Amino acid sequence: DVDVTSEQTSQISAKEGAELRNSGIASLFYAFMLIVLYLAVRFDVRYAPGAIMATMHDAIMVIGVFSITWTDVSLTSVAALLTVIGFSVNDTVVIFDRIRENLERLKDKKIERVIDISLNEVVVRSVLTSATLFAVTLMMNVFGTGLVKNFAFAMNAGIITGAYSSIFLAPPLFLWVAKKFY
């Protein structure tokens, strides 16, 4: 004989919001540091600046899209941002791996030509992977609601900037570092 109603609240206090913000910033910082460590172990230190700049570019662009569109930033947004960082690093690593392989295989060619050949070999794969993921997250953005839509929106922005930065930002920065310091 007892009436029970369930109530749900989706707002948090300023103190909890600050803790969530600080935790999100810390998780992004740790992700960047682990990426640098991974690239230093997997490749060479000269590859790290390109990957870090491309990844930072992607994170900043996604945050910029959120601020321009006045979209709420939640823990789901932070998770999407970390996913975008992972996707971007993966795409950049694929490109850098091909550059590294071709530097060993094509020793008689200039580094600019090796980078050009490497990009031509992997650009179709990168664009098709990004387009496939974009199509999936676009459907989630169109048909999803709530937190799913928020996640998909961040992913859509991140996929576009991730494909761009992996192809047009990371290799030129690698070339600059290789020519300037090696």
Side-chain angles (χ1 to χ4, degrees):
D1 294 337
V2 177
D3 288 335
V4 178
T5 59
S6 64
E7 294 182 16
Q8 180 179 353
T9 60
S10 61
Q11 296 185 1
I12 57 174
S13 69
K15 183 178 178 182
E16 291 167 337
E19 288 177 19
L20 291 174
R21 181 194 66 225
N22 294 339
S23 296
I25 291 170
S27 65
L28 292 173
F29 175 76
Y30 293 137
F32 279 118
M33 291 303 105
L34 289 173
I35 289 166
V36 170
L37 179 65
Y38 169 74
L39 290 171
V41 170
R42 165 81 191 217
F43 293 108
D44 188 353
V45 175
R46 61 187 169 164
Y47 291 93
I52 292 299
M53 287 304 293
T55 306
M56 285 176 48
H57 169 268
D58 299 338
I60 290 169
M61 293 301 284
V62 171
I63 292 168
V65 168
F66 269 83
S67 67
I68 288 172
T69 59
W70 290 87
T71 304
D72 290 335
V73 176
S74 63
L75 287 178
T76 306
S77 305
V78 173
L81 192 58
L82 289 170
T83 306
V84 165
I85 288 171
F87 176 76
S88 175
V89 167
N90 181 53
D91 207 20
T92 305
V93 163
V94 167
I95 291 171
F96 280 167
D97 198 33
R98 185 56 56 100
I99 290 171
R100 184 177 54 92
E101 289 172 2
N102 285 341
L103 280 173
E104 293 174 10
R105 190 172 56 94
L106 306 170
K107 291 182 180 182
D108 59 330
K109 300 197 183 303
K110 293 172 74 174
I111 191 169
E112 294 91 347
R113 183 72 180 129
V114 171
I115 291 172
D116 188 40
I117 290 168
S118 302
L119 284 174
N120 285 331
E121 290 175 355
V122 297
V123 73
V124 173
R125 176 244 176 241
S126 292
V127 169
L128 289 177
T129 302
S130 298
T132 302
L133 185 57
F134 184 81
V136 170
T137 56
L138 182 63
M139 292 301 108
M140 290 170 59
N141 198 4
V142 170
F143 297 114
T145 59
L147 296 177
V148 170
K149 189 171 186 129
N150 197 350
F151 182 86
F153 179 71
M155 286 297 295
N156 286 144
I159 290 165
I160 293 168
T161 61
Y164 169 80
S165 67
S166 294
I167 296 169
F168 295 110
L169 294 180
L173 192 53
F174 162 73
L175 177 63
W176 180 79
V177 169
K179 288 184 119 187
K180 180 99 171 158
F181 300 106
Y182 290 91

